[in-house]
C-alpha cells in the first residue's frame, strides 16, 4: 500500500470522528450557581413532553425531574431556555445528558442557590456532537 493512500485513509477516518457542530447561540448571557456552572441551581418538574429540535436540547417527558444548571438570559423577543439534566428511574438512558429546554415546559419546585452569577455564554455552550 502506498503512503499517499494510507494518509488519505487516516484523514478520512479523522474526518468521520470529528463531527462536532457549532450551533447558533440561544443567548449571550446566562445565570449560574457558580463560575463554572457546575452546581445545581434548582430542581423542576416537567409539565409536558418536549421533543428536542436539535442536539443542543434534551427530550423531556411529563413528570420527570430536571436538575437546572443554568438559566439563559433571553434577548428581546427570544424564548427563555434553561440548561439541565433529566433525573428519572424510568428513563435511565437519558440521565446525565445535559441540554437546553424551554423554561415554560417545567415548574421549578426547589431552589438550591439564590445568589446566582451572571456570566457570558461561550461557543462551547452550544456545541453539538
Amino acid at each position: 500500500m502506498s503512503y499517499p493512500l494510507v494518509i488519505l485513509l487516516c484523514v478520512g477516518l479523522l474526518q468521520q470522528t470529528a463531527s462536532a457542530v457549532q450551533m447558533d447561540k440561544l443567548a449571550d448571557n446566562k445565570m449560574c450557581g457558580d463560575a463554572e456552572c457546575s452546581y445545581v441551581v434548582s430542581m423542576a418538574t416537567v409539565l409536558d413532553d418536549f421533543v428536542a429540535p436539535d442536539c443542543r436540547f434534551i427530550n423531556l417527558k411529563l413528570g420527570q425531574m430536571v436538575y437546572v444548571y443554568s438559566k439563559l438570559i433571553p434577548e428581546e423577543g427570544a424564548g427563555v431556555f434553561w440548561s439541565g439534566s433529566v433525573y428519572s428511574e424510568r428513563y435511565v438512558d437519558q440521565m446525565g445528558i445535559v441540554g437546553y429546554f424551554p423554561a415554560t415546559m417545567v415548574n421549578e419546585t426547589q431552589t438550591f442557590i439564590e445568589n446566582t452569577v451572571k456570566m457570558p455564554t461561550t461557543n462551547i455552550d452550544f456545541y453539538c456532537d
Side-chain angles (χ1 to χ4, degrees), residues 56-94:
R56 295 172 294 181
F57 295 88
I58 57 172
N59 294 319
L60 301 176
K61 302 273 188 211
L62 175 68
Q64 283 181 317
M65 297 301 294
V66 179
Y67 292 116
V68 179
Y69 290 98
S70 68
K71 299 177 179 182
L72 297 181
I73 301 172
E75 306 298 318
E76 188 174 326
V80 178
F81 297 103
W82 293 354
S83 171
S85 179
V86 171
Y87 175 78
S88 172
E89 291 180 14
R90 272 184 69 193
Y91 302 99
V92 176
D93 59 319
Q94 296 178 20

Side-chain angles (χ1 to χ4, degrees), residues 2 11 17 21 25 27 29 31-32 39 44-45 53 57 69 73 79-81 87 109 113 117 120:
S2 66
V11 169
T17 59
V21 177
K25 278 185 151 187
N29 294 293
M31 300 299 287
C32 297
Y39 291 113
T45 303
F57 295 88
Y69 290 98
I73 301 172
V80 178
F81 297 103
Y87 175 78
T109 56
I113 299 175
V117 178

